[in-house]
Amino acid sequence: MMLTTHVIEGTAKGPRFLLTGAVHGNEKCGTAAIGRLLMEIAAGLVTLHKGTLVAVPVCNPRAYAQHTRQAEENLNRVIRHHDNPTAYEHHLANELTGVIDTCDIMLDLHSYSSGVRPFLFLDNDTPENRAFAQALGIPYWITGWDELYADQPELNGGDTMSYVKNAGKTGLLVECGQHEDPAAILHAYHAVRAALAHFGMTDPYEALDQTPPQVNRLTAVITKDRDGVFARPWQHLDPVKKGEVVIQYADGSTLTAPEDGVVIMPAPQAAPGSEWIYFGVAE
């Protein structure tokens, strides 16, 4: 076994709830938040009234130890069963999908590079998932992930929420804030507590924000296919106008915004061949 998994049984029957952190090794807020929750349960400060909590605080141990996004491949692009695993993350994916298969609900905790506002991905827009999202008190939602990558399967061979959706389970992925921002740990912790309370597994827990969500739909993804720099230090959800220069390439050419909207998850230090910046529009 490559993954350390904690299983805590509630006092009554209920859903089997999976918490995951550090799918990307440099995204450690989820690990810290899950660690805090496990300590509080052990100390009797939080009681699991029903169901089963399954926690995997570090889903990519090698990348976590290296403080890198990945060891060999992006784990959150290879979440499926690999009959002939060739990369370290393929072995992790085989183990992680096995854990997901045993659970009913999943909350996957991440962080990102440019911006501080927590947000969540709502791709499987069922009434149950929407109520789950609303309960977390995170006012920024992103949709359209599956549709965006359906036309570019070479970029995504499987992510946690697509796997959850295809398995008919309930799940959300939360980007809790900037990688190094201590507030991201608090956002992750509040999301965990609100999620468990929403499903009746723990005592009620008031979400931080009750305002209606601001929803943006992904419309385009730009991969880093050559050298260049951002035209300015873009932050997540910065507004952008159609035709505005977003990237200055080293060869003198530019990339401009395809339409009025926002930039999403800009990654100025993206590796060649990986996602550099996304565009979105308000729903």
Side-chain angles (χ1 to χ4, degrees):
M1 297 289 286
M2 303 169 71
L3 298 179
T4 298
T5 303
H6 304 265
V7 179
I8 301 173
E9 300 286 350
T11 54
K13 291 184 178 180
R16 193 170 175 92
F17 193 106
L18 174 61
L19 282 175
T20 51
V23 166
H24 297 128
N26 61 335
E27 301 178 12
K28 300 187 175 185
C29 61
T31 305
I34 294 169
R36 175 179 171 181
L37 175 69
L38 294 176
M39 287 190 292
E40 289 177 341
I41 291 175
L45 301 175
V46 174
T47 300
L48 197 63
H49 296 303
K50 71 174 185 179
T52 302
L53 175 64
V54 181
V56 185
V58 178
C59 290
N60 195 326
R62 187 182 298 173
Y64 184 86
Q66 297 172 173
H67 194 64
T68 57
R69 181 173 176 82
Q70 62 203 50
E72 297 176 4
E73 294 189 13
N74 184 343
L75 177 56
N76 210 32
R77 300 294 181 272
V78 297
I79 298 293
R80 64 182 188 278
H81 182 75
H82 298 263
D83 289 329
N84 298 295
T86 58
Y88 173 71
E89 277 82 2
H90 296 175
H91 293 280
L92 294 177
N94 283 350
E95 192 168 335
L96 186 56
T97 54
V99 176
I100 295 173
D101 288 344
T102 69
C103 295
D104 307 303
I105 306 160
M106 181 177 183
L107 182 63
D108 190 14
L109 301 167
H110 290 248
S111 60
Y112 64 107
S113 59
S114 296
V116 297
R117 289 176 284 194
F119 65 97
L120 60 83
F121 283 96
L122 180 69
D123 286 312
N124 189 15
D125 196 359
T126 64
E128 183 177 21
N129 246 13
R130 185 165 280 262
F132 182 10
Q134 192 71 57
L136 299 189
I138 296 174
Y140 303 99
W141 299 5
I142 303 295
T143 66
W145 179 273
D146 284 353
E147 292 84 354
L148 184 65
Y149 279 96
D151 296 329
Q152 302 182 75
E154 71 280 1
L155 293 179
N156 186 6
D159 60 87
T160 55
M161 289 304 105
S162 294
Y163 189 89
V164 165
K165 178 181 177 179
N166 292 334
K169 302 174 187 292
T170 297
L172 292 174
L173 185 152
V174 176
E175 299 278 357
C176 302
Q178 200 275 337
H179 298 321
E180 308 299 333
D181 186 355
I185 298 172
L186 290 177
H187 291 310
Y189 175 79
H190 289 307
V192 167
R193 292 295 310 275
L196 292 173
H198 172 67
F199 290 100
M201 297 177 68
T202 60
D203 290 336
Y205 190 84
E206 186 174 352
L208 289 181
D209 197 315
Q210 298 293 338
T211 58
Q214 298 180 33
V215 184
N216 286 282
R217 176 174 51 84
L218 292 168
T219 58
V221 55
I222 305 301
T223 57
K224 190 171 186 177
D225 60 354
R226 50 196 154 127
D227 289 340
V229 296
F230 288 160
R232 64 184 180 88
W234 296 108
Q235 299 291 294
H236 175 65
L237 297 182
D238 275 350
V240 66
K241 291 291 186 181
K242 181 178 179 179
E244 183 175 354
V245 175
V246 177
I247 294 172
Q248 295 272 4
Y249 289 111
D251 62 10
S253 62
T254 61
L255 180 131
T256 60
E259 58 193 327
D260 291 351
V262 295
V263 297
I264 294 174
M265 293 188 298
Q269 304 303 319
S274 63
E275 296 95 337
W276 205 358
I277 195 167
Y278 295 81
F279 294 102
V281 295
E283 285 268 282

